[in-house]
Amino acid sequence: MKNIALLSLLLSCPVMANEFSCGNAIIEQFHKARELYLSIQSIHAEGYQNPKIATWKSEVDKLRQKCGSISDIDLPFDRAIGAHNLYDLMGAYIDGKGIEEWQTKFSLALVCHETPDACSKYINQASPKELEDLLTSMAN
C-alpha cells in the first residue's frame, strides 16, 4: 500500500508543478533573456546591475522556487534544461563567452517542449522496472 501511495505522489508532483506550465515559463524566460541581450548596450559592463536584468533575475528566482528540478525540459541523450540554467545563459550573455552553447541548448529545449515527438525517440524514459526499484529503495 505504501508503494501505491508513493507512486501516486511521485506521479502527481510533475502534474502539480506543470499546472502552471513550468516548461512554458522556462521558454518564456529564455526569450526574455535573448531580448535583453539584444537590446541592452551595456550588458557586459553592467550585468545584473542593470535594472532590466535585475528584474529578469528576480522573475527567474521566483520560477526556480515554484518549479524546482521536477519541471526540467528533457533533452535527448539524458540531458535536461531547467530554470537554474537560465542563470548560465544570462551569465554567458554578460561575459560574452559560451553564448552559442547555451542558445543551442535552449533552442533544443524549445523544440523538445513544443514538439515532443521530435525528441521523444532520443529521450530515455525510466522503465517500469526502474520505477519499481526506486519505490523499493525509498520504502526501505
Side-chain angles (χ1 to χ4, degrees):
M1 191 57 140
K2 278 199 279 187
N3 286 352
I4 293 172
L6 189 56
L7 180 61
S8 296
L9 178 65
L10 286 173
L11 293 175
S12 68
C13 285
V15 172
M16 287 186 279
N18 285 335
E19 284 178 9
F20 162 73
S21 188
C22 292
N24 287 343
I26 291 168
I27 297 300
E28 179 182 327
Q29 291 303 327
F30 163 58
H31 288 299
K32 285 183 180 180
R34 178 89 174 124
E35 288 171 20
L36 290 171
Y37 170 63
L38 294 174
S39 66
I40 296 176
Q41 298 284 330
S42 61
I43 192 165
H44 301 300
E46 292 181 353
Y48 286 108
Q49 301 305 313
N50 182 293
K52 290 180 181 179
I53 296 178
T55 300
W56 174 87
K57 183 184 179 301
S58 175
E59 291 174 11
V60 172
D61 290 341
K62 291 175 188 171
L63 178 61
R64 275 193 72 192
Q65 290 176 351
K66 191 170 194 171
C67 295
S69 63
I70 290 176
S71 306
D72 287 355
I73 298 171
D74 288 328
L75 301 178
F77 312 114
D78 291 328
R79 295 179 184 224
I81 205 156
H84 65 281
N85 296 118
L86 289 161
Y87 300 128
D88 298 322
L89 173 72
M90 185 57 76
Y93 287 153
I94 291 169
D95 296 337
K97 297 177 184 171
I99 295 170
E100 295 83 9
E101 176 186 350
W102 283 107
Q103 283 189 167
T104 300
K105 288 179 183 178
F106 274 96
S107 295
L108 181 58
L110 175 68
V111 169
C112 292
H113 180 69
E114 291 185 354
T115 315
D117 290 344
C119 299
S120 64
K121 72 179 187 177
Y122 303 104
I123 295 176
N124 296 329
Q125 298 295 327
S127 69
K129 172 76 170 117
E130 289 172 322
L131 287 174
E132 184 179 330
D133 291 345
L134 173 66
L135 291 174
T136 302
S137 69
M138 292 176 76
N140 293 332

